[in-house]
């Protein structure tokens, strides 16, 4: 249950829907629903600190949670952001996947090293794909969802702030209208065209797609702006000669001034950057900044935006943070940052990236009652498996997640809140009214009962009274708390280890050796991959399954020891990450060492955190 609801604006007009403050330029379904949510405000939940990296005197934050709830927290803390960049889902209809690499078996690496043989760094990587999030939306729901997010973001922007919204052709033109409505047409700055490099393949009866759009708006007329320049073109430089000191110059003849003067190239700032950006390529597959994150954007893109619309020490926020590029670039440019995302892979990727950059920050989690399993898509898949008897039912409207078959009652439709859509979390009278008067009447006349799951509820007694007072249907409505199902979503991995004090050098240390690691969740993914590979195998493409050793150490990606506390927030007193090749990254520093199946600590470790290759973390008390 939310602690309270924080208003989007400090002083909403008394008795008037907030949306009525704007001249509506677009009408779409669900408008009244959005009106109600905006009047109620942003849900504020408890915020739990997971870890502090460094002293974090600047208050940098990496938040796992949804945009609206994060904004509620910032507003309650009187924190205003000076620049926002968001790269939200594009409503592209695609599922975005993460390639999960099997690490090298450290036992095999150790045996090869003892035999003084070289490990091939170009050996075939064994990998499978795992869905990170589904960008499949009903257009009306997407627009309502985006409207609420944009309103929340605007409520935490300072008066001198700007916002950049990165989209593409799927939905960008619709969101542009929402932005006009929320920020005002007078505060529109640019439609930036990011024309990135792409191999031009022949398409059917249309030109190949080769650009995204970024819409920029300001909060007021008094906004931060720093003109950006890019290097001179080769053609322009050819106009200059070189003097005896090696400086490039040219004579600038000015007839109106009655003479000429010498212009030096190094005194000219460069070409002014316009609204078409064709000089920034996407992230190269072998680039050092590559994070193997499906929607990763290049650092150069964010450098231009942050330099243009913020100054040193200002606060830059990204509420759909993805790979963490905004936070990483803001930190490098001397800005403070907030990274927010709902997916655990985003939080882990960003956290590790910032640690490698020696950034200081707090890692926080919004405690909204949803025990997410990696991301909303996979959590929804897990929920379907955990609700007893729930099966797909083609005859039902998409409003229902599926149905349960009962020997006495027959088909029982089941409603489950969509975790991809934060607006479905709260069961209130508005949603209950929709169920009673829209969803239930469309059901077959033989349906006698429906089950409605909820994550949060305004007042269960009041909702039950609302149902009982309604005489529009004889169908029984049963309410169930989804959190009871969600609590069973995440199951810890099994770890067999030993911890001993050793002295292999002048300074004694503690060595934690992992003897065995079992992850049923990862093994299920590997089994599914192997089964698919077997079905698709042929003489030209023989079956080549992924085989895991008895020790299972290939499934480990990250280890961290806490020598400070056995409870409360995590203190990383030493950590290692194993990259996809099998090399060790120690406290953010890449090495050419192969992992030996252990982690060492000068201080006595109290806890151990292990992350598997899919991102699930297990904490063990030592």
């Amino acid at each position: 249950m939310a602690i309270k609801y924080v208003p989007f604006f400090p002083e909403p007009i008394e008795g008037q829907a907030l949306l009525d403050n704007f001249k509506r330029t677009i009408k779409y379904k669900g408008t009244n629903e959005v009106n109600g949510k905006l009047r109620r405000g942003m849900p504020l939940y408890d915020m739990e600190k997971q870890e502090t990296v460094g002293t974090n005197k600047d208050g940098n934050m990496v938040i796992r949670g949804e945009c609206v709830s994060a904004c509620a927290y910032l507003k309650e803390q009187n924190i205003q952001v000076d620049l926002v960049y968001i790269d939200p889902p594009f409503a592209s209809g695609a599922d975005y996947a993460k390639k999960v690499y099997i690490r090298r078996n450290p036992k095999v690496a150790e045996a090869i090293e003892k035999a003084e043989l070289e490990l091939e760094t170009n050996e075939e990587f064994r990998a499978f794909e795992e869905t990170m999030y589904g960008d499949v939306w009903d257009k009306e729901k997407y627009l309502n969802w985006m409207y609420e997010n944009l309103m929340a973001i605007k409520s935490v922007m300072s008066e001198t702030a700007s916002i950049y919204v990165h989209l593409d052709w799927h939905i960008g033109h619709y969101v542009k209208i929402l932005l006009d409505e929320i920020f005002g047409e007078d505060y529109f700055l640019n439609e930036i065209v990011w024309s990135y490099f792409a191999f031009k393949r022949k398409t059917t009866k249309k030109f190949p797609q080769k650009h995204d759009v970024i819409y920029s708006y300001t909060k007021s007329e008094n906004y931060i702006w720093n003109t950006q320049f890019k290097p001179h073109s080769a053609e322009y430089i050819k106009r200059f000669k070189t003097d005896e000191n090696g400086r490039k110059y040219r004579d600038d003849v000015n007839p109106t001034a009655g003479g000429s003067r010498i212009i030096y190239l190094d005194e000219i700032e460069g070409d002014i950057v316009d609204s078409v950006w064709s000089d920034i390529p996407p992230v190269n597959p072998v680039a050092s900044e590559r994070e193997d994150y499906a929607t990763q954007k290049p650092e150069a893109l964010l450098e231009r935006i942050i330099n243009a619309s913020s100054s040193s020490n200002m606060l830059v926020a990204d509420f759909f943070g993805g790979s963490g590029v905004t936070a990483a670039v803001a930190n490098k440019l001397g800005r403070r940052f907030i990274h927010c995302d709902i997916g655990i892979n985003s939080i882990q990727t960003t956290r590790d990236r910032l640690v490698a950059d020696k950034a200081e920050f707090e890692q926080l989690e919004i405690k909204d009652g949803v025990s997410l399993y990696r991301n909303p898509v996979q959590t929804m898949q897990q929920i379907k498996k955990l609700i007893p008897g729930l099966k797909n039912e083609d005859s039902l409207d998409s409003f229902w997640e599926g149905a349960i078959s009962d020997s006495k009652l027959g088909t029982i439709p089941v409603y489950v809140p969509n975790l991809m859509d934060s607006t479905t979390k709260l069961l209130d009278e508005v949603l209950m009214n929709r169920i009673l008067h829209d969803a239930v009447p469309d059901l077959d006349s033989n349906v006698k009962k429906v089950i409605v799951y909820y994550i949060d509820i305004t007042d269960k007694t009041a909702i039950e009274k609302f149902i009982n007072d309604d005489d529009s249907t004889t169908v029984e409505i049963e309410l169930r708390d989804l959190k009871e199902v969600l609590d069973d979503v995440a199951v810890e991995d099994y770890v067999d280890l030993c911890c001993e004090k050793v002295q292999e050098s002048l300074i004694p240390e503690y060595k934690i050796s992992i003897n065995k690691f079992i992850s049923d969740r990862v093994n299920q993914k590997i089994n599914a991959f192997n089964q698919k590979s077997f079905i698709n195998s042929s003489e030209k493409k023989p079956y080549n399954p992924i085989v895991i050793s008895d020790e299972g150490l290939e499934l480990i990606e990250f280890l961290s020891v806490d020598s400070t506390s056995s409870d409360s927030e995590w203190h990383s007193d030493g950590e290692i990450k194993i990259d996809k090749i099998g090399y060790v990254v120690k406290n953010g520093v890449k090495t050419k060492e192969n992992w030996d199946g252990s982690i060492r600590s000068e201080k006595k470790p109290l806890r151990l955190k292990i992350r598997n290759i899919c991102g699930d973390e297990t904490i063990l008390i030592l």
Side-chain angles (χ1 to χ4, degrees):
M1 186 73 180
I3 300 170
K4 67 175 184 177
Y5 285 86
V6 179
F8 284 80
F9 295 109
E11 297 177 359
I13 298 173
E14 187 70 25
Q16 183 177 355
L18 292 181
L19 285 183
D20 292 340
N21 291 340
F22 304 93
K23 180 182 177 182
R24 296 199 65 78
T25 52
I26 181 173
K27 293 284 186 183
Y28 46 87
K29 296 174 186 175
T31 299
N32 291 334
E33 236 176 275
V34 177
N35 264 311
K37 292 178 187 300
L38 295 181
R39 280 197 297 268
R40 184 168 58 228
M42 300 175 279
L44 176 67
Y45 298 96
D46 285 324
M47 184 77 83
E48 185 178 280
K49 188 186 295 185
Q50 304 292 315
E51 179 182 7
T52 302
V53 177
T55 59
N56 193 32
K57 62 182 183 299
D58 291 331
N60 297 319
M61 289 181 266
V62 174
I63 301 171
R64 187 185 187 194
E66 290 173 321
C67 170
V68 174
S69 299
C71 289
Y73 174 77
L74 298 179
K75 201 162 189 294
E76 184 73 2
Q77 299 295 316
N78 294 316
I79 296 172
Q80 290 190 320
V81 299
D82 302 299
L83 170 61
V84 177
Y85 166 86
I86 57 171
D87 179 18
F90 289 4
S92 64
D95 284 332
Y96 287 91
K98 171 188 177 183
K99 187 161 275 192
V100 179
Y101 292 93
I102 310 296
R103 271 36 181 185
R104 180 182 288 138
N105 184 343
K107 303 296 182 184
V108 174
E110 182 183 6
I112 292 175
E113 285 181 343
K114 283 183 178 178
E116 297 184 349
L117 298 172
E118 286 191 9
L119 284 159
E120 292 287 341
T121 57
N122 63 345
E123 64 183 286
E124 179 191 4
F125 294 130
R126 302 312 310 279
F128 59 89
E129 288 192 340
E130 183 174 55
T131 301
M132 291 169 63
Y133 70 88
D135 195 7
V136 183
W137 292 81
D138 173 273
K139 188 180 294 180
E140 308 295 349
K141 288 181 179 178
Y142 179 90
L143 293 173
N144 280 299
W145 176 77
M146 273 303 299
Y147 200 104
E148 189 180 359
N149 283 315
L150 291 168
M151 291 286 282
I153 290 169
K154 183 182 179 184
S155 75
V156 297
M157 289 171 60
S158 70
E159 288 304 307
T160 61
S162 301
I163 181 172
Y164 289 75
V165 182
H166 190 144
L167 296 160
D168 72 359
W169 59 271
H170 289 93
I171 204 77
H173 43 298
Y174 291 98
V175 176
K176 168 70 167 65
I177 297 173
L178 299 186
L179 288 163
D180 281 344
E181 186 177 322
I182 292 168
F183 289 92
E185 295 177 35
D186 293 341
Y187 296 114
F188 167 70
L189 286 189
N190 283 113
E191 177 183 35
I192 298 162
V193 175
W194 177 36
S195 178
Y196 43 76
F197 169 80
F199 291 106
K200 297 175 186 175
R201 296 181 177 89
K202 185 178 179 180
T203 57
T204 305
K205 295 184 179 180
K206 70 172 186 177
F207 299 110
Q209 299 288 348
K210 192 180 173 264
H211 76 276
D212 289 355
V213 291
I214 304 172
Y215 298 113
S216 62
Y217 286 76
T218 64
K219 181 80 175 287
S220 69
E221 294 178 356
N222 182 28
Y223 59 93
I224 302 297
W225 180 255
N226 306 303
T227 302
Q228 296 299 294
F229 300 89
K230 56 186 176 182
H232 297 290
S233 65
E235 290 74 16
Y236 182 75
I237 294 173
K238 285 179 183 178
R239 302 177 192 173
F240 289 76
K241 296 177 262 185
T242 305
D243 67 12
E244 63 275 9
N245 297 317
R247 291 182 74 188
K248 289 192 174 294
Y249 74 96
R250 67 179 175 85
D251 294 320
D252 182 36
V253 180
N254 191 344
T256 58
S260 65
R261 62 190 179 102
I262 294 176
I263 295 177
Y264 288 96
L265 182 64
D266 57 17
E267 293 177 351
I268 304 172
E269 289 182 288
D271 293 336
I272 293 177
V273 174
D274 57 27
S275 62
V276 178
W277 299 356
S278 56
D279 58 327
I280 299 176
V283 182
N284 189 297
V286 295
S288 59
E289 67 180 88
R290 186 80 181 183
E291 296 289 344
D292 285 322
Y293 199 93
T295 56
Q296 182 178 356
K297 299 302 184 289
E299 291 189 0
L301 189 73
L302 272 298
E303 285 173 6
R304 180 165 292 172
I305 290 170
I306 291 172
N307 279 325
S309 294
S310 71
S311 302
S312 179
N313 205 42
M314 281 189 166
L315 181 57
V316 179
D318 189 339
F319 295 98
F320 300 89
S323 68
V325 61
T326 305
V329 173
N331 178 65
K332 289 173 183 176
L333 295 177
R335 273 70 164 173
R336 296 173 292 132
F337 60 82
I338 295 172
H339 169 100
C340 176
D341 201 286
I342 194 66
I344 191 63
N345 291 124
S346 166
I347 299 302
Q348 291 168 346
T349 299
T350 302
R351 183 252 177 220
D352 295 348
R353 184 177 192 170
L354 292 171
V355 166
D357 287 345
K358 309 303 178 189
E360 297 185 351
F361 57 94
E362 286 182 351
Q363 185 179 327
L364 305 161
E365 186 167 306
I366 296 170
K367 307 307 290 184
D368 57 2
V370 183
S371 301
L372 280 178
Y373 171 69
R374 297 181 193 156
N375 59 56
V377 173
Q378 291 186 343
T379 306
M380 291 298 294
Q381 293 169 353
Q382 293 292 312
I383 288 171
K384 292 176 189 178
K385 296 176 184 176
L386 291 169
I387 295 177
L390 181 64
K391 294 180 180 178
N392 291 331
E393 180 56 61
D394 294 338
S395 64
L396 292 175
D397 183 85
S398 60
F399 178 84
W400 305 98
E401 192 62 46
I404 296 171
S405 295
D406 186 273
S407 57
K408 292 182 179 179
L409 298 173
T411 299
I412 302 176
V414 178
Y415 168 78
V416 178
N418 181 8
L419 297 178
M420 293 295 295
D421 181 0
S422 62
T423 62
T424 68
K425 275 188 177 180
L426 181 68
L427 179 60
D428 56 6
E429 289 188 6
V430 174
L431 178 56
M432 199 67 246
N433 190 66
R434 182 182 168 198
I435 293 171
L436 289 168
H437 296 280
D438 292 340
V440 170
D442 286 341
L443 295 172
D444 187 276
S445 58
N446 293 321
V447 172
K448 298 179 178 65
K449 177 181 177 179
V450 300
I451 296 172
V452 176
Y453 278 96
Y454 63 88
I455 294 169
D456 204 350
I457 192 166
T458 49
D459 184 323
K460 189 173 182 180
T461 303
I463 295 295
E464 288 174 339
K465 184 178 184 302
F466 182 81
I467 295 169
N468 293 330
D469 291 345
D470 188 285
D471 59 1
S472 64
T473 181
T474 58
V475 174
E476 179 189 350
I477 313 289
E478 181 185 342
L479 304 181
R480 290 185 184 178
D481 192 341
L482 187 62
K483 293 190 289 296
E484 295 175 7
V485 177
L486 287 166
D487 288 342
D488 296 327
V489 165
V491 181
E492 290 189 344
D493 294 330
Y494 169 78
V495 186
D496 177 37
L497 57 82
C498 64
C499 180
E500 58 183 337
K501 192 173 183 179
V502 297
Q503 187 156 1
E504 297 173 355
S505 60
L506 292 174
I507 302 173
E509 58 185 355
Y510 292 86
K511 179 182 179 182
I512 303 173
S513 300
I514 312 301
N515 302 319
K516 193 164 190 172
F517 182 80
I518 301 174
S519 174
D520 286 336
R521 291 165 293 180
V522 180
N523 285 333
Q524 286 174 19
K525 287 287 182 181
I526 292 172
N527 291 337
F529 171 85
N530 287 341
Q531 186 176 9
K532 187 176 180 180
S533 297
F534 178 76
I535 294 171
N536 296 329
S537 61
S538 62
E539 189 175 332
K540 291 183 179 180
K541 188 180 179 182
Y543 177 49
N544 185 18
I546 294 175
V547 179
I548 303 301
S549 68
D550 291 339
E551 297 83 10
L553 304 190
E554 308 96 303
L555 305 183
I556 296 175
E557 175 186 81
F558 174 91
L559 302 97
S560 174
V561 293
D562 185 344
S563 301
T564 305
S565 173
S566 59
D567 54 16
S568 69
E569 70 173 283
W570 187 263
H571 302 82
S572 181
D573 294 310
E575 62 185 60
I576 59 172
K577 188 174 182 179
I578 301 98
D579 70 13
K580 67 181 181 182
I581 297 174
Y583 291 141
V584 172
V585 181
K586 289 184 179 178
N587 299 316
V589 180
K590 295 182 179 180
T591 74
K592 287 292 183 180
E593 299 176 20
N594 290 292
W595 185 47
D596 64 357
S598 71
I599 183 171
R600 296 164 187 254
S601 172
E602 291 184 8
K603 298 178 183 178
K604 184 178 180 180
L606 303 176
R607 293 188 287 179
L608 173 69
K609 180 188 289 184
I610 296 186
R611 183 194 307 163
N612 68 36
I613 54 176
C614 288
D616 309 309
E617 293 186 340
T618 300
I619 294 178
L620 302 154
I621 305 295
L622 301 176

